[in-house]
Amino acid sequence: MKVGIKKIHENEWLVHIGFASMHLDRFSLELLAITLAHVRALEHGEAHSILDSYVQLAMRIKELDDKGLQQLTRAVENRDLLHLMVLAQDDALNDCILKNVGGMVAKQLKSDMQKAEAVDETTGKEAVTRVVKTLFELETQGQVEFYNEATQYI
């Protein structure tokens, strides 16, 4: 079965799967990509973690500038940020978040990270989903913008 994806508008994609077609927003499109990767791995007898894919999707946070990161950290719950930081185990991500949450919250998150236990898969998926969904909503509204080596302006 073939899958085709075409961008229609800023936050709208047309997805063709076999003879079916549907319109998806950016977040749903990313979830579809994760699901397809999971199915493909299972077909080949390989292991694939959906939670790890969610965390990889959330790693795009590192592409935000400070202003965008501050917008995001104000829009999501600190508990969700903590779960993401525990799951990601990425020092660069942790530094980005801690630098942009404010002094008191940063101290609390650092303290909580030291005492944090492993996050179970269901709780982790829910927390990371809320963070990523908020991230894409802010991008759609034009409140945050991703910057990477491919970003160019005319």
Side-chain angles (χ1 to χ4, degrees):
M1 179 181 305
K2 293 185 178 183
V3 176
I5 301 171
K6 179 181 177 183
K7 185 174 183 177
I8 304 295
H9 297 291
E10 186 62 33
N11 191 33
E12 182 181 8
W13 278 261
L14 180 63
V15 178
H16 293 280
I17 302 174
F19 294 109
S21 65
M22 64 190 112
H23 290 265
L24 296 177
D25 63 3
R26 172 99 182 260
F27 181 69
S28 300
L29 181 68
E30 294 292 346
L31 291 181
L32 175 63
I34 289 170
T35 303
L36 291 173
H38 183 70
V39 169
R40 188 175 26 228
L42 291 178
E43 284 178 349
H44 296 292
E46 301 169 358
H48 182 267
S49 169
I50 291 178
L51 180 58
D52 289 344
S53 296
Y54 278 46
V55 171
Q56 284 301 102
L57 186 57
M59 296 298 271
R60 293 201 61 204
I61 291 172
K62 295 191 297 189
E63 297 175 15
L64 293 173
D65 63 359
D66 287 343
K67 182 180 175 189
L69 247 163
Q70 291 163 12
Q71 287 280 98
L72 176 65
T73 57
R74 281 193 298 266
V76 297
E77 294 291 323
N78 293 337
R79 174 73 46 202
D80 291 342
L81 288 174
L82 176 65
H83 289 318
L84 173 60
M85 293 166 68
V86 168
L87 289 167
Q89 296 292 314
D90 185 279
D91 292 335
L93 176 69
N94 294 351
D95 291 343
C96 286
I97 291 172
L98 293 174
K99 184 174 86 172
N100 287 288
V101 291
M104 294 301 290
V105 175
K107 286 179 185 177
Q108 185 63 47
L109 283 174
K110 280 182 190 177
S111 171
D112 290 347
M113 287 246 338
Q114 292 171 351
K115 296 183 269 182
E117 297 175 9
V119 179
D120 68 87
E121 188 157 340
T122 303
T123 304
K125 273 197 265 187
E126 290 170 355
V128 174
T129 297
R130 285 189 293 268
V131 172
V132 172
K133 202 170 198 174
T134 302
L135 178 63
F136 286 140
E137 287 171 1
L138 291 172
E139 181 190 24
T140 300
Q141 295 167 2
Q143 295 181 23
V144 300
E145 186 175 349
F146 294 103
Y147 297 97
N148 58 36
E149 64 276 349
T151 304
Q152 296 180 0
Y153 294 98
I154 298 176

